[in-house]
Amino acid sequence: MLVRDAMSTMILTIGPDHTLRQAARLMSARRIGAAVVLDADTSGLGILTERDILNSVGLGQDPDLETASKHTTTDVVFAAPSWTLIEAAEAMTHGGFRHLIVLDGHGPVGIVSVRDIIRCWAPARRESALAG
């Protein structure tokens, strides 16, 4: 199975000036764990995850004053839609993260998460257990 089969094509994009509270509200409303941060001034692309927000709050930082730009990961590992789910899982395991932005030649086309991969693999494992 490929990343394109598992990824979510509904991408939440926010700007670098969104506060962490604004980002958290948007992520919570959509029941997702990451947002793509687009910085038009630098043509940059990054990711803000629930873990980034949690770390900030845990440090006692004010989510109404902290902006996405201060907590965005910009050294991002990207996946291609044609990657296998095993390649995506290996990249996540190697990098210690749970989300990959999926890029094609024109920009972000989706996000794949550990949850997406498990959702795809669980039925296959169940079917092989029943067949065995």
Side-chain angles (χ1 to χ4, degrees), residues 75-87:
D75 185 19
V76 180
V77 175
F78 299 101
S82 59
W83 279 17
T84 66
L85 293 185
I86 291 173
E87 289 173 305

Side-chain angles (χ1 to χ4, degrees), residues 43-54:
S43 299
L45 184 67
I47 190 166
L48 179 75
T49 67
E50 58 196 354
R51 184 182 304 167
D52 298 324
I53 296 169
L54 183 66

